[in-house]
Amino acid sequence: MTVKLYNTLTKQKEDFTPLNGSEVRIYSCGPTVYSYAHIGNFRTYVFMDNLRRVLEYNGYTLKHVMNITDVGHLESDGDEGEDKMEKAAKKENKSPYEIAKFYTDAFFADMKKLNIEMPEIIAKATEHIPDMLEFAKKIVKNGYGYETSSAIYFDVSKLDKYPVLSNRNIDDQIAGARVDVDPEKRNPYDFAIWIKAPKNHIMKWDSPWGESYPGWHLECSAMSRKYLGEVFDIHTGGVDHIPTHHENEIAQSKGAFGKIPAKIWMHVEFLQVNGGKMSKSLGNVYTISQLEEKGIEALAYKLFCYTAHYRTKLNFTFEGAHSSQKALNRLRENYLKHKEGKEEIDDDIIDEYKKRFLEAVNDDLNMPLAMGIVWEIARNEKKSYKIANLLLEFDKVLGLELINSEEYLKKQNNVDVPEEILKLLEQRKQARLEKDWALSDKLRDEIKVKGYIVKDTKDGMTVEKI
Ligand code: AMP
Ligand code: ZN
């Protein structure tokens, strides 16, 4: 069955065929590691995970690159403001490299909690300076770059067409607002590919233009080209990347190699909060850890993301996230019931579900529709291990770790259990290991007096409030 993907470049859903046999080459714009990634950012990475998993489900192999931006991303996506890394370093009184390491580790820890498959290649900007410099030189050599007192700019007027990805009217406004920022710019839309470092800038490298550092857009162009070649299959990011970052990546690749670097450009709509923008200044930015503090697992947030198609806005509320947590627990319970089920289910019925699920995910990753099918089978009156197996197969795309349902449910049951009871449970576990049944019974009674009942199952102990 064909995978259909929406392409921002052509503004239509297209039948997907890789450029190179069964291998799909993907580049995803990764995080700028100057602070914790928020759940809005993670909506984009949950989408990235879905895309990977759907392609793998269809039998493709992947060569997927994601960058880590640890230099060159200025405060605005254009050319204004300070480097985000340097600003954070000053604020936290650390070096930009320490900041990058800390937030990169935090990002990977959250990715793991979300069970997001890691791209085959993780490319840090600071480890690719020579590739970037080569790319910038090529742009200048081909006549698309020019030097000013502050930067090397890309001259968009030299291109046959600009912009190609975004809406020109919007771009006019953005660029117009910036015209007076650098009077040395030849055209309002010109953007910096290489930036001359101010004296106090820590991250800088030698270049034909003195001590300087790469522009954010150039980083992605150089790293995608290095690992995936001049033209690859899919480029992903959030919708905010359409008018500037991706538009400028296209410009750079055309300037250096005369080609648009990716065939399909995919963009995720924003996660909003209370119907508005999620932003640090409004104080409505949440992290995965903050959700966990409120009893919402990272995987429940992933399930929450499946309530809307990736190309529509999704409004975050804690109420919605709590509902997703409950739904995830129900899905796990249903899976476990089916796992033990002995009732007969016709293979034709299973095949029909498989077909419908595949149709849904292959239709530009229609996760809400796919989840509807998942719920239909999970709630089936007949309890059958065949349904449990089917849920596990679908979980290759969902990535909800249904195989570990039992462990997750146990952890969930323990969420509200006081520390004191958990300690007694631990002592009882030890007593049972040592076959001290008298102590085990005594501890059980003690726990009961405190309002909790212990149940011994074949997989260990669970506890419930009386
Ligand atoms: P950044 O670290 O700011 O470069 O952003 C990382 C990724 O998150 C980019 O692909 C952004 O487009 C995306 N992103 C930022 N904010 C949101 C949001 N509220 N909802 C969805 N994606 C977002
Ligand atoms: Zn990028």
Side-chain angles (χ1 to χ4, degrees), residues 29-32 38 40-41 43-45 73 84 216 237-241 268-271 278:
C29 286
T32 306
H38 57 69
N41 301 133
R43 183 184 190 200
T44 293
Y45 302 115
H73 194 165
K84 289 185 186 189
W216 171 44
V239 283
D240 53 329
H241 284 172
V268 185
E269 251 302 347
F270 262 33
L271 180 80
M278 180 185 283

Side-chain angles (χ1 to χ4, degrees), residues 56-106:
E56 286 170 327
Y57 196 66
N58 280 274
Y60 293 117
T61 54
L62 306 180
K63 185 170 184 189
H64 182 189
V65 180
M66 182 177 69
N67 66 292
I68 300 286
T69 300
D70 52 3
V71 66
H73 194 165
L74 304 189
E75 281 170 276
S76 91
D77 282 0
D79 305 319
E80 299 104 67
E82 222 180 316
D83 184 317
K84 289 185 186 189
M85 297 302 302
E86 299 254 339
K87 193 174 174 192
K90 269 186 226 154
K91 196 169 140 217
E92 296 194 28
N93 211 11
K94 290 188 180 136
S95 84
Y97 292 97
E98 283 170 322
I99 295 285
K101 162 103 183 67
F102 180 84
Y103 290 113
T104 303
D105 290 349

Side-chain angles (χ1 to χ4, degrees), residues 96-149:
Y97 292 97
E98 283 170 322
I99 295 285
K101 162 103 183 67
F102 180 84
Y103 290 113
T104 303
D105 290 349
F107 174 73
F108 288 149
D110 284 346
M111 292 278 277
K112 192 156 184 248
K113 284 182 190 164
L114 284 158
N115 194 27
I116 291 176
E117 284 186 352
M118 280 306 262
E120 283 66 34
I121 298 163
I122 300 291
K124 285 188 190 162
T126 49
E127 290 173 3
H128 294 80
I129 301 295
D131 305 290
M132 295 167 189
L133 200 50
E134 186 203 326
F135 207 110
K137 284 186 195 163
K138 191 142 174 60
I139 289 172
V140 175
K141 190 168 154 253
N142 290 352
Y144 289 90
Y146 63 96
E147 187 174 358
T148 72
S149 51

Side-chain angles (χ1 to χ4, degrees), residues 2-3 14-21 23-24 60 233 263-264:
T2 320
V3 181
E14 293 175 3
D15 286 353
F16 176 68
T17 332
L19 290 160
N20 187 14
E23 186 189 64
V24 185
Y60 293 117
D233 295 292
K263 237 175 69 175
I264 299 187

Side-chain angles (χ1 to χ4, degrees), residues 275-294:
K277 201 181 161 197
M278 180 185 283
S279 87
K280 285 207 178 109
S281 56
L282 293 173
N284 60 6
V285 165
Y286 303 110
T287 60
I288 292 293
S289 306
Q290 284 169 327
L291 261 51
E292 285 175 329
E293 280 163 21
K294 293 193 189 288

